[in-house]
C-alpha cells in the first residue's frame, strides 16, 4: 500500500478525508489523490467540503441515473424544511440566469427545454460542422506555424469551441473575446477557490451576459435566422399557438442560451489543452495515435478518461436513503467525482497510464442519465477534428516548459500551454 502525500489525511475506518482543494499539489495532479482514495475509501466524507463524495465507477454511474437524486431540491421541500439560507442579494442576477438552466432543473421543465434544443446537438446534425471546424483549425495554425512556437490556449484552444457554439446559436464571431470574459467570470461560481469578489464578478457577468442575450432575442423575433436561437423562439411561438404547453419565456431563453454558450466551450477549451499535454508527455507517436478515424476516436476517449475537464457533479438526495452504507437524509447534497470514476482500478486496468488502445468501459467525463452533457457530440467532434490537424501540421510539436495547472478545481485545465516545433 503506497504512502499518502502530506496534504492528504484518510481515516479508512470512518471514511473521513481531510484535503485542501486549493493545494497546488492536489489540483496540479488530482489523479494521484483519486488513486489513493480508490485504494483506501472510494466513498468518503470530505471534511473541508462537509459532504459525502463517491469515486467508484459503479456508484458514480448509477447515481447519475438514480431519480432519487436530482439537481434541484426546492421542488420537493422548502428552504425552511431543509434549513437552507435565503438567496443572497449580491447574486440576484446570477441566480436568475441559473433558475432555468438545463444543468440545474429537473423534469418536467428539464424534459421540455431539452427536447426543444436536443435536435440541434444530435450527432448526425453536428457532423455537418466538421468541414467548418477543420477550416477554422487550419486557418488558426496558418497564423502561427511560421513562428516556431505558440501559446496554444490563446491562439487555438480558446478560439475554436467558442466560435463554433456561437455560430450555432447565432452570435457573431467578433463577440468571442467578450463571451470568454463573461464565461470565465460566470463559472467562477463553481470553483473551490470562490471568493466574495468572484461572486460579485459572476453576478456582473450574468447581468451583462443576460442583457446581451435579450438584445439577440429581440432581434431574432423581428428577423429570424437559420440558427439555434431563432429555432428556440420559433418553436416557442409554434408550440404556444398549438396549445401544447411548450412555451419558452424570455428568462428560459436567456438561461438556455447562457448555459449552452458556457457548457459549449468552457470544458472543451480545457480538454484541448489537457489532451495535447497528455499526448506529448506520453512519448507515443502522434502520427500513430491519429492514423485513422478509429485510432483518433480511441485516443480522444482516452484523453477524456485520464484528464477530464470537469471533475465533479453534485446531486441532492430527494428522499431518505442509504448508498454504500452511507445514510442520507432528504436535502443532503452529495458529490460524484467523474474524473475519479474514470480511474477506478476495478474497471480500468493500469488506470493512471495513458493507453489509447484500451477497450474497457465508457468514460464518464460527460456524465450520464438525463443530465448527460447535451454538447458531448459537438465536443467530441471538435476534439476528433482539431487534434489530428494540429499534430499533422506540426509534426515536431513539443512542450517548451512543464505546463502549470490552473487553480480552478473542480474544473481541470492549464494556465497556458507553451509549445515549440
Amino acid at each position: 500500500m503506497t504512502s499518502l502525500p502530506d496534504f492528504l489525511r484518510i481515516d479508512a475506518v470512518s471514511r473521513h478525508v481531510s484535503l485542501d482543494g486549493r493545494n497546488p499539489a492536489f489540483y496540479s495532479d488530482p489523479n494521484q489523490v483519486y488513486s489513493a482514495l480508490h485504494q483506501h475509501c472510494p466513498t468518503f466524507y470530505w471534511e473541508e467540503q462537509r459532504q459525502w463524495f463517491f469515486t467508484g465507477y459503479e456508484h458514480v454511474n448509477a447515481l447519475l441515473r438514480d431519480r432519487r437524486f436530482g439537481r434541484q431540491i426546492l421542488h420537493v421541500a422548502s428552504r425552511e424544511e431543509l434549513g437552507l439560507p435565503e438567496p443572497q442579494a449580491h447574486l440576484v442576477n446570477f441566480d436568475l440566469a441559473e433558475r432555468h438552466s438545463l444543468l440545474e432543473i429537473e423534469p418536467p421543465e428539464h424534459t421540455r427545454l431539452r427536447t426543444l434544443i436536443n435536435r440541434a446537438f444530435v450527432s448526425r446534425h453536428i457532423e455537418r460542422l466538421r468541414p467548418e471546424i477543420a477550416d477554422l483549425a487550419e486557418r488558426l495554425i496558418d497564423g502561427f506555424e511560421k513562428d516556431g512556437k505558440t501559446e496554444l490556449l490563446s491562439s487555438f484552444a480558446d478560439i475554436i469551441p467558442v466560435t463554433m457554439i456561437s455560430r450555432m446559436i447565432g452570435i457573431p464571431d467578433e463577440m468571442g473575446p467578450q463571451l470568454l470574459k463573461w464565461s470565465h467570470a460566470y463559472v467562477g461560481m463553481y470553483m473551490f477557490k470562490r471568493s466574495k469578489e468572484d461572486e460579485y464578478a459572476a453576478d456582473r457577468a450574468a447581468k451583462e451576459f443576460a442583457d446581451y442575450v435579450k438584445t439577440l432575442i429581440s432581434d431574432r423575433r423581428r428577423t429570424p435566422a437559420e440558427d439555434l436561437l431563432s429555432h428556440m423562439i420559433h418553436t416557442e411561438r409554434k408550440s404556444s399557438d398549438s396549445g401544447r404547453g411548450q412555451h419558452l419565456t424570455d428568462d428560459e431563453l436567456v438561461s438556455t442560451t447562457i448555459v449552452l454558450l458556457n457548457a459549449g466551450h468552457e470544458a472543451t477549451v480545457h480538454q484541448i489543452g489537457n489532451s495535447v499535454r497528455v499526448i506529448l508527455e506520453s512519448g507515443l507517436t502522434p502520427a500513430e495515435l491519429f492514423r485513422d478515424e478509429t485510432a483518433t476516436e480511441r485516443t480522444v476517449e482516452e484523453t477524456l478518461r485520464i484528464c477530464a475537464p470537469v471533475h465533479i457533479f453534485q446531486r441532492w438526495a430527494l428522499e431518505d436513503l442509504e448508498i454504500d452504507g452511507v445514510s442520507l437524509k432528504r436535502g443532503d447534497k452529495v458529490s460524484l467525482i467523474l474524473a475519479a470514476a474514470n480511474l477506478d482500478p476495478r474497471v480500468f486496468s493500469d488506470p493512471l497510464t495513458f493507453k489509447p488502445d484500451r477497450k474497457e468501459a465508457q468514460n464518464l467525463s460527460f456524465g450520464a442519465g438525463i443530465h448527460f452533457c447535451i454538447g458531448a457530440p459537438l465536443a467530441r467532434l471538435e476534439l476528433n477534428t482539431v487534434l489530428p490537424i494540429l499534430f499533422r501540421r506540426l509534426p515536431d510539436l513539443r512542450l517548451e516548459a512543464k505546463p502549470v495547472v490552473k487553480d480552478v478545481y473542480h474544473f481541470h485545465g492549464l494556465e497556458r500551454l507553451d509549445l515549440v516545433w
Side-chain angles (χ1 to χ4, degrees), residues 117-275:
I117 62 174
N118 196 54
R119 182 173 176 272
F121 286 91
V122 296
S123 297
R124 65 180 179 277
H125 290 292
I126 291 296
E127 180 61 33
R128 299 172 188 169
L129 299 174
R130 187 184 292 269
E132 192 175 347
I133 296 169
D135 178 66
L136 178 57
E138 297 276 11
R139 286 190 290 107
L140 291 173
I141 296 170
D142 287 342
F144 57 72
E145 182 180 19
K146 63 183 181 302
D147 300 332
K149 64 178 182 178
T150 193
E151 194 291 293
L152 195 74
L153 301 187
S154 58
S155 67
F156 191 76
D158 273 345
I159 300 170
I160 293 171
V162 75
T163 300
M164 295 312 303
I165 191 63
S166 296
R167 289 177 182 176
M168 285 184 68
I169 291 171
I171 297 175
D173 286 2
E174 56 266 26
M175 280 298 295
Q178 180 60 67
L179 294 173
L180 286 172
K181 290 178 183 176
W182 283 332
S183 179
H184 291 336
Y186 193 96
V187 301
M189 287 292 292
Y190 305 119
M191 299 172 189
F192 278 29
K193 73 178 184 70
R194 184 174 115 192
S195 65
K196 200 66 171 282
E197 290 71 27
D198 292 323
E199 293 179 352
Y200 280 114
D203 197 68
R204 284 194 301 272
K207 185 181 188 311
E208 293 172 9
F209 213 157
D211 287 346
Y212 175 69
V213 173
K214 287 173 186 175
T215 66
L216 289 178
I217 293 169
S218 178
D219 179 65
R220 292 303 190 277
R221 282 209 169 101
R222 291 192 305 269
T223 312
E226 292 296 322
D227 55 41
L228 183 53
L229 184 56
S230 296
H231 164 74
M232 289 192 291
I233 295 169
H234 173 73
T235 303
E236 167 198 7
R237 288 177 172 174
K238 174 182 174 183
S239 300
S240 180
D241 291 343
S242 66
R244 294 176 190 163
Q246 295 288 303
H247 182 73
L248 271 181
T249 66
D250 275 13
D251 284 345
E252 288 174 331
L253 286 166
V254 168
S255 286
T256 303
T257 302
I258 288 176
V259 75
L260 289 176
L261 279 165
N262 286 342
H265 82 272
E266 192 80 31
T268 312
V269 170
H270 291 322
Q271 193 58 33
I272 291 173
N274 293 347
S275 297

Side-chain angles (χ1 to χ4, degrees), residues 51-52 54 63 69 315-317 319-323 325-334:
Q51 223 175 90
W52 282 96
F54 296 85
L63 294 178
F69 292 85
R315 292 290 188 272
W316 294 96
E319 59 185 69
D320 296 351
L321 71 164
E322 183 177 304
I323 303 291
V326 176
S327 295
L328 300 169
K329 299 285 189 184
R330 183 177 69 159
D332 285 346
K333 187 179 275 189
V334 300

